[in-house]
């Protein structure tokens, strides 16, 4: 069960003390308090865990600091979408809005290589009105002898260049909790010219200690990739690990599943799960067409498979697109063959806008028809 307190309830107020005293003394029930800092107000959510079946919802609703009570299921307690659950989805980070109704594109380099390429990418993004990008500094690689990313050495010039080209949020994978501090120290030293969304890669989806460490901080939001060989439920539970430690600013990323059934694509494209994740949870949903498709194969209609997969995800309501681009793909140190080219950026962005608008029109088409087939 979840008790949501009135916004901005002071911790020293009688109403708060009385409410918490009552809840703390419920037999067999333990409490977990979760603070949600919105743009205008602070929300306090009190999760009641344990013996909650026999609790009287009306009695708890009547406590002086309680605004409303939601009965929640065991799955995805914080991030889940529960019956009668009107809680907001999404968050704002560094001036950029992330929700289940809007869309942000993160085009950029799979792996940071040289300053010229980072600059060419970010300058093109700025010219196209984009404020988000992807830049890999810490790369998890299958082969230990492959390039592992420049690590913290590249952070200063990547962040400075982002500031120069007005990039507000960089999606950057981390593979170890020490990377959070490396990123934070560098950003702080530079006066925070940009922001970072910490990316957890598919190989680390169930690295629970990493998830807990990332969840313990609230400075950076998280992009969690679906595990490539586990169920959707298992991946959503991994996201809940972040929230259970205190960080609910999580975006869930579909990136395809590892199975030969997906061939000739690198992974089996799973973007039909975009609306499913939005139904089960309040997380914005990202699609990664580059790592799903993994090639520059082109259909007879002239469009790359990557473009088609992107369109499928966006038309189904995706909220974020993570895509590999490179100014000189033949020189890229990681995933060059699947990268989109700079002269494809404009059409790609227009295609995405078209599909996002079509999703909105589809929504209007079906609005008011909920329940007609139930
Ligand atoms: C990536 O986005 O660079 C990446 C390694 O993706 P994934 O974890 O989905 O393989
Ligand atoms: Mn890659």
């Amino acid at each position: 069960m979840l008790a949501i307190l009135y916004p901005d309830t002071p911790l020293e107020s009688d109403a708060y003390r009385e409410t918490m005293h009552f809840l703390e003394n419920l037999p067999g029930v333990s409490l977990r308090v979760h603070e949600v800092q919105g743009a205008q107000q602070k929300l306090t959510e009190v999760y009641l865990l344990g013996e909650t079946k026999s609790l009287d919802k009306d009695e708890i609703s009547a406590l002086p600091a309680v605004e409303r009570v939601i009965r929640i299921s065991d799955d995805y307690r914080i991030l889940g979408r529960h019956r009668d659950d009107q809680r907001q989805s999404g968050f704002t980070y560094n001036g950029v809005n992330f929700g289940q109704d809007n869309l942000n594109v993160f085009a950029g380099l799979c792996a940071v290589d040289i300053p010229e390429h980072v600059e060419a990418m970010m300058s093109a993004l700025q010219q196209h009105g984009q404020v988000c990008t992807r830049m890999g500094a810490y790369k998890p690689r299958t082969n230990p002898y492959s390039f592992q990313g420049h690590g913290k050495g590249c952070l200063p010039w990547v962040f400075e260049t982002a500031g120069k080209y007005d990039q507000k949020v960089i999606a950057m994978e981390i593979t170890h909790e020490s990377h959070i501090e490396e990123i934070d120290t560098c950003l702080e030293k530079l006066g925070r010219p940009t922001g970072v969304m910490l990316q957890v890669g598919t190989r680390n989806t169930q690295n629970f200690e990493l998830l807990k460490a990332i969840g313990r901080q609230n400075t950076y939001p998280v992009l969690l990739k679906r595990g490539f060989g586990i169920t959707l439920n298992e991946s959503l539970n991994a996201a809940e690990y972040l929230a259970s430690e205190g960080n609910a600013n999580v975006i869930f990323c579909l990136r395809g599943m590892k199975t030969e059934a997906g061939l000739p694509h690198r992974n089996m494209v799973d973007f039909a799960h975009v609306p499913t994740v939005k139904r089960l949870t309040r997380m914005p949903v990202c699609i990664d067409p580059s790592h799903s498709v993994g090639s520059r194969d082109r259909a007879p209609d002239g469009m790359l498979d990557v473009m088609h997969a992107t369109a499928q995800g966006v038309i189904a309501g995706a909220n974020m697109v993570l895509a590999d681009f490179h100014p000189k793909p033949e020189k890229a140190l990681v995933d060059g063959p699947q990268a989109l080219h700079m002269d494809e950026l404009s059409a790609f962005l227009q295609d995405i806008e078209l599909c996002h608008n079509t999703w909105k029109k589809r929504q209007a088409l079906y609005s008011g028809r909920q329940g007609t087939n139930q």
Side-chain angles (χ1 to χ4, degrees):
M1 189 174 270
L2 166 62
I4 301 178
L5 307 191
Y6 287 105
D8 297 319
T9 301
L11 302 189
E12 55 287 346
S13 64
D14 286 346
Y16 182 82
R17 262 198 295 267
E18 199 181 309
T19 300
M20 293 309 280
H21 179 75
F22 180 90
L23 297 176
E24 278 161 1
N25 286 294
L26 288 169
V29 172
S30 63
L31 305 186
R32 197 139 178 178
V33 181
H34 184 76
E35 307 278 4
V36 188
Q37 185 62 58
Q40 316 290 342
Q41 55 190 22
K42 191 180 80 181
L43 267 191
T44 303
E45 300 180 339
V46 184
Y47 287 84
L48 312 185
L49 310 177
E51 299 295 315
T52 57
K53 286 219 165 48
S54 58
L55 294 181
D56 181 350
K57 189 176 167 192
D58 292 338
E59 189 178 20
I60 294 173
S61 304
L63 293 171
V66 174
E67 186 184 56
R68 64 205 152 97
V69 174
I70 301 170
R71 275 216 184 268
I72 54 175
S73 50
D74 267 353
D75 274 336
Y76 336 131
R77 282 183 182 148
I78 299 175
L79 294 173
R81 189 179 280 291
H82 306 285
R83 189 192 284 266
D84 302 326
D85 187 352
Q86 306 300 332
R87 286 178 297 166
Q88 61 161 56
S89 65
F91 54 91
T92 299
Y93 172 64
N94 213 21
V96 183
N97 241 338
F98 297 92
Q100 282 195 334
D101 290 324
N102 72 343
L103 175 72
N104 293 289
V105 181
F106 283 62
L109 306 185
C110 182
V112 169
D113 42 34
I114 57 170
E116 289 73 14
H117 294 157
V118 169
E119 178 136 19
M121 185 73 233
M122 292 186 181
S123 139
L125 288 171
Q126 187 189 35
Q127 279 166 30
H128 285 86
Q130 297 297 304
V131 295
C132 299
T133 184
R134 59 162 287 152
M135 289 286 151
Y138 309 94
K139 299 303 301 178
R141 305 305 302 281
T142 304
N143 187 329
Y145 306 111
S146 302
F147 173 64
Q148 304 283 314
H150 286 313
K152 75 171 177 184
C154 70
L155 299 182
W157 50 268
V158 170
F159 293 159
E160 269 173 352
T161 311
K164 179 172 165 194
Y165 293 102
D166 212 21
Q167 297 299 293
K168 304 283 184 215
V169 188
I170 302 175
M172 180 175 279
E173 178 163 359
I174 63 164
T175 54
H176 191 269
E177 63 174 284
S178 59
H179 300 155
I180 306 172
E181 200 175 323
E182 290 178 6
I183 289 169
D184 193 57
T185 306
C186 182
L187 279 175
E188 188 61 32
K189 207 184 247 168
L190 297 172
R192 301 203 178 265
T194 185
V196 168
M197 180 179 288
L198 301 173
Q199 184 176 321
V200 178
T202 194
R203 290 157 191 80
N204 274 317
T205 307
Q206 285 189 313
N207 182 340
F208 299 117
E209 296 311 316
L210 179 64
L211 296 176
K212 286 187 212 168
I214 296 175
R216 281 194 291 271
Q217 60 78 44
N218 270 304
T219 313
Y220 304 103
V222 190
L223 179 65
L224 178 78
K225 294 261 192 121
R226 174 186 199 162
F228 56 32
I230 56 177
T231 63
L232 182 63
N233 172 270
E234 287 163 335
S235 288
L236 296 178
N237 268 304
E240 184 73 12
Y241 259 91
L242 297 157
S244 76
E245 292 291 329
N247 190 345
N249 291 348
V250 185
I251 297 179
F252 189 78
C253 181
L254 299 170
R255 49 81 69 209
M257 302 300 291
K258 201 179 180 106
T259 155
E260 289 196 354
L263 290 172
H265 290 159
R266 180 170 169 180
N267 289 287
M268 183 80 182
V269 181
D270 55 351
F271 300 165
H273 276 170
V274 167
T276 313
V277 177
K278 288 168 81 171
R279 168 166 59 79
L280 293 172
T281 79
R282 296 177 296 124
M283 287 185 279
V285 180
C286 175
I287 53 166
D288 177 345
S290 301
H291 291 84
S292 295
V293 171
S295 75
R296 288 186 47 84
D297 290 335
R298 196 183 295 273
D301 60 16
M303 289 181 257
L304 299 177
D305 287 11
V306 176
M307 314 285 194
H308 277 294
T310 305
Q312 288 158 13
V314 174
I315 219 161
N319 307 111
M320 174 169 162
V321 178
L322 188 72
D324 285 2
F325 270 76
H326 203 286
K328 293 213 170 89
E330 68 288 356
K331 296 232 166 96
L333 298 176
V334 184
D335 284 345
Q338 73 187 22
L340 298 180
H341 302 172
M342 303 312 286
D343 61 4
E344 291 165 333
L345 179 62
S346 176
F348 186 65
L349 293 171
Q350 287 178 59
D351 191 5
I352 288 173
E353 197 181 333
L354 229 140
C355 293
H356 184 58
N357 287 336
T358 303
W359 169 71
K360 286 190 207 155
K361 286 186 190 153
R362 291 180 58 224
Q363 224 187 347
L365 194 66
Y366 290 108
S367 74
R369 290 183 58 83
Q370 284 105 328
T372 49
N373 60 351
Q374 282 172 5

